[in-house]
Amino acid sequence: MAALIGVLPGDGIGPEVIAEALKVLDTIARLGGHRFETRQALIGGAAMDAAGSSFPGETRALALDAQAVLLGAVGGPKWTDPAAPDRPEKGLLDLRAAMGVYANIRPVVTHPTLYGASPLKPERLQGVDIMVVRELTGGIYFGRKERGVDSASDLCSYTRAEITRLLRIAGTLARGRRRKVASIDKVNVLETSRLWRAVATELFAQEFPDVALEHVLVDAAAMHLLSRPADFDVIVTENMFGDILTDEASMLVGSMGMLPSASLDGSGRGLYEPIHGSAPDIAGRGIANPCGTILSVAMMLRHTFNLPAEARRIESAVAAVLEAGLRTRDIAAAGQEVVGTAAMGDAIVARLRAAA
Ligand code: NAD
């Protein structure tokens, strides 16, 4: 039986980048003799317009049936009323909750040919290969919220079970990499961080004695990400610290358009999406960079379908077209020739075929 993949293109450039990712998935399936069934559904603003909800029942059913979900992006200027009861971004939060994906993982790998696109000096970018593991369903974003006239509070809480399951994913990922984990906290002021650090120390001693664990304060980590990014292997942290550090880390690569992500539930099921949004400023023009979404397909093959060789083939094909000088507008140097979304997708497909 073919594995089922739910495909949710969403809004703005979502459908444009998803179209290229599906070309790549189809090519890799044909070359390797794998069978995937892809089924599309609506999410976000497109779903609100067509079905009256940002996360319709049909989409929920598909997300629960599928082994993996590939998402484009949601949102746009048409649906920005903050007082509206439903919003495109709510569809995405509902999707993550329905799938129970609690670990967001984001690789940050620099490409020598794109050093110029990053604000950092090239010598700092050499050899950067980081995997950030962020807790996605707990912490201050989900704690009790209170608002008085002149005061407000957001509760940050974590349980041992929530911390343990996330750290286990980080430890397991580190074993397939350079066996180093930096656990980020704010142990000098936060009680949740004290629990976090104690759980990390205990778990790594018991279950991952072969992995080097270091604890880093979040303020120092923010600095080290810019001053010595190549020293990091796996970074693991709670929800809000991870939200901030992953955006900071994306600047090492230069463009949001290059970066993939996976959100996992610990059983192999996952939600895969580029880190960028729907980019309404360039939507409909065929100029969006599809690489982040194509690399998300590679993550899906590795983490849900256990096909690491196929994942590497996609990553190598993306690296090869960059080395050959192909650039979408977001990663082009001044005066450099640029290609559109479909041409970039086609070039990656051609590389995959040529390398087969
Ligand atoms: P954005 O990521 O959509 O765009 C930020 C900038 O990066 C824009 O200038 C855009 O043109 C550029 N960019 C992003 N992706 C690109 C790509 N693949 N190729 C080339 N350039 C790219 O963020 P934003 O403008 O703050 O948000 C736009 C909408 O997207 C909002 O409605 C927001 O809520 C939504 N959003 C959705 C997600 C998601 O679906 N996961 C994430 C972030 C923002």
Side-chain angles (χ1 to χ4, degrees):
M1 215 175 74
L4 179 62
I5 299 171
V7 179
L8 312 179
D11 307 316
I13 61 169
E16 300 170 39
V17 291
I18 285 286
E20 302 315 308
L22 291 179
K23 283 183 196 166
V24 168
L25 178 67
D26 186 53
T27 306
I28 209 89
R30 279 170 201 270
L31 291 174
H34 307 294
R35 288 184 57 218
F36 300 109
E37 182 195 345
T38 55
R39 218 181 287 163
Q40 298 216 8
L42 295 167
I43 192 164
M48 288 165 67
D49 288 354
S53 160
S54 61
F55 188 51
E58 225 171 86
T59 308
R60 174 186 293 271
L62 174 60
L64 294 181
D65 270 359
Q67 277 130 297
V69 171
L70 181 66
L71 177 106
V74 298
K78 191 173 169 194
W79 311 278
T80 47
D81 176 6
D86 195 8
R87 290 166 44 78
E89 293 76 10
K90 182 173 176 298
L92 186 51
L93 292 180
D94 289 348
L95 170 67
R96 288 176 182 155
M99 292 184 72
V101 287
Y102 59 81
N104 179 247
I105 66 175
R106 289 192 191 182
V108 177
V109 182
T110 54
H111 298 271
T113 50
L114 293 185
Y115 284 173
S118 169
L120 262 71
K121 294 188 188 110
E123 57 268 31
R124 294 259 160 89
L125 300 170
Q126 262 163 33
V128 171
D129 180 356
I130 306 173
M131 181 68 84
V132 186
V133 183
R134 165 191 168 195
E135 205 289 325
L136 201 58
T137 55
I140 197 165
Y141 292 173
F142 290 88
R144 196 178 63 244
K145 296 176 186 309
E146 285 176 5
R147 176 74 186 265
V149 179
D150 294 316
S151 70
S153 89
D154 300 279
L155 181 73
C156 182
S157 84
Y158 270 109
T159 64
R160 179 179 287 272
E162 285 173 317
I163 299 169
T164 304
R165 66 184 185 177
L166 186 81
L167 289 167
R168 232 178 232 135
I169 286 188
T172 306
L173 285 170
R175 280 206 172 122
R177 300 171 48 94
R178 304 195 305 279
R179 293 180 183 249
K180 286 201 312 190
V181 170
S183 173
I184 313 297
D185 61 37
K186 187 72 184 170
V187 79
N188 44 352
V189 284
L190 295 179
E191 210 48 58
T192 40
S193 285
R194 289 183 195 122
L195 177 66
W196 187 282
R197 195 175 276 211
V199 173
T201 305
E202 203 178 298
L203 183 82
F204 275 75
Q206 281 171 6
E207 294 185 21
F208 301 98
D210 51 324
V211 174
L213 171 70
E214 66 166 337
H215 305 282
V216 188
L217 292 175
V218 63
D219 36 355
M223 222 164 54
H224 295 162
L225 260 179
L226 302 182
S227 61
R228 49 177 191 90
D231 289 351
F232 287 108
D233 180 12
V234 173
I235 289 177
V236 61
T237 191
E238 61 96 74
N239 200 343
M240 183 167 69
F241 296 161
D243 192 10
I244 297 166
L245 292 179
T246 46
D247 267 24
E248 184 188 354
S250 74
M251 293 314 292
L252 301 170
V253 182
S255 170
M256 307 244 283
M258 287 303 304
L259 291 170
S261 81
S263 301
L264 307 174
D265 75 348
S267 80
R269 274 164 37 90
L271 167 63
Y272 299 87
E273 53 179 318
I275 73 154
H276 60 74
S278 59
D281 53 335
I282 58 165
R285 294 167 55 194
I287 59 172
N289 185 347
C291 290
T293 316
I294 289 169
L295 292 169
S296 298
V297 170
M299 291 190 84
M300 179 170 82
L301 295 173
R302 179 177 286 120
H303 296 289
T304 291
F305 297 114
N306 197 22
L307 295 170
E310 280 76 355
R312 270 195 302 276
R313 283 164 72 180
I314 294 177
E315 288 156 357
S316 303
V318 170
V321 299
L322 294 175
E323 269 153 40
L326 248 72
R327 296 285 183 275
T328 44
R329 202 186 59 159
D330 55 309
I331 49 173
Q336 198 172 8
E337 197 181 324
V338 299
V339 299
T341 313
M344 186 57 124
D346 289 344
I348 294 167
V349 164
R351 271 292 162 165
L352 281 170
R353 291 212 181 104

